[in-house]
Amino acid sequence: MTTLKAKLQDDLTAAIKARDELRSATLRLTLSAIGYEETAGKQARELSDDEVLKVITREAKKRREAADAFAKGGRADSAERERAEGEVLAGYLPQQLSDEELTALVAEAVAEAKAGGAEGPKAMGAVMKVVKPKVGNRAEGGRVSAEVKRQLS
C-alpha cells in the first residue's frame, strides 16, 4: 500500500474514533474514488503516491465546483459543506503556488518560448509545454492556462 493511501486510511480511522463526521465522510469518499481508480481498466492495480495525489486533486476540484454550483443555486448550507470537504482534502495536497509565483514562472516560460521563435497567442502550446513541468501539481491547469493567455495577449 502506498504511503499516502495508508495515511488516508489511518486518518479515517482516527476521524471515526473522534466522531468527526465531516472528515470521516470526506475520507471515505476519497478512498472509494481511489479504490475505483485501482479497479478501473482491464486489470486491478495499486496506485502510486502520484496517482493517489491526482485522485485527491480531482476530488478537491469536484468539491470546489459543487460549492460554486450550490452557491449559485442559493443553497448556502450545501455550498459550505462542499467547501469544508475541500479544505479537508487540501490538507493532503502540496502547497499551491501563489499568484505571484505562478506569474513569475509563466513569464519565464514566455521568455523561453519567445527565444525559440514563438510569439503571440499562437505560442500557447509552446509556453504550456515549458511551464507545465515547472508547475507540476502545485497549480491547476486552468489557472496556469489563464495566466499564459493573459501574458501572451
Side-chain angles (χ1 to χ4, degrees):
M1 184 181 311
T2 62
T3 56
L4 186 54
K5 184 177 173 186
K7 180 173 176 21
L8 286 169
Q9 289 182 328
D10 292 343
D11 289 353
L12 173 61
T13 303
I16 292 171
K17 287 180 180 176
R19 300 196 189 288
D20 185 346
E21 191 274 329
L22 172 74
R23 189 169 194 77
S24 61
T26 303
L27 293 176
R28 273 191 183 114
L29 285 171
T30 304
L31 284 167
S32 174
I34 291 168
Y36 178 79
E37 192 72 24
E38 287 177 334
T39 57
K42 294 184 180 190
Q43 190 173 6
R45 62 193 172 88
E46 190 163 325
L47 298 180
S48 68
D49 272 349
D50 285 341
E51 292 170 317
V52 170
L53 198 60
K54 285 180 185 175
V55 172
I56 295 172
T57 303
R58 188 171 56 232
E59 290 296 310
K61 183 178 179 185
K62 284 181 189 176
R63 299 309 189 286
R64 275 193 304 280
E65 290 172 351
D68 291 343
F70 281 134
K72 287 178 184 172
R75 296 183 52 196
D77 55 335
S78 297
E80 190 55 42
R81 168 75 184 208
E82 293 292 333
R83 281 191 200 96
E85 287 181 6
E87 289 298 317
V88 169
L89 293 176
Y92 297 97
L93 297 173
Q95 184 64 38
Q96 297 292 297
L97 289 172
S98 68
D99 289 338
E100 295 80 27
E101 292 169 322
L102 182 61
T103 301
L105 282 173
V106 170
E108 288 175 24
V110 168
E112 279 184 48
K114 281 185 181 177
E119 283 193 50
K122 293 181 181 178
M124 178 87 177
V127 174
M128 288 299 285
K129 279 183 186 174
V130 173
V131 81
K132 200 65 178 145
K134 291 179 181 179
V135 170
N137 55 9
R138 297 180 299 155
E140 277 186 11
R143 252 182 87 201
V144 175
S145 174
E147 182 61 28
V148 169
K149 283 180 187 172
R150 188 186 70 74
Q151 289 193 24
L152 287 176
S153 61

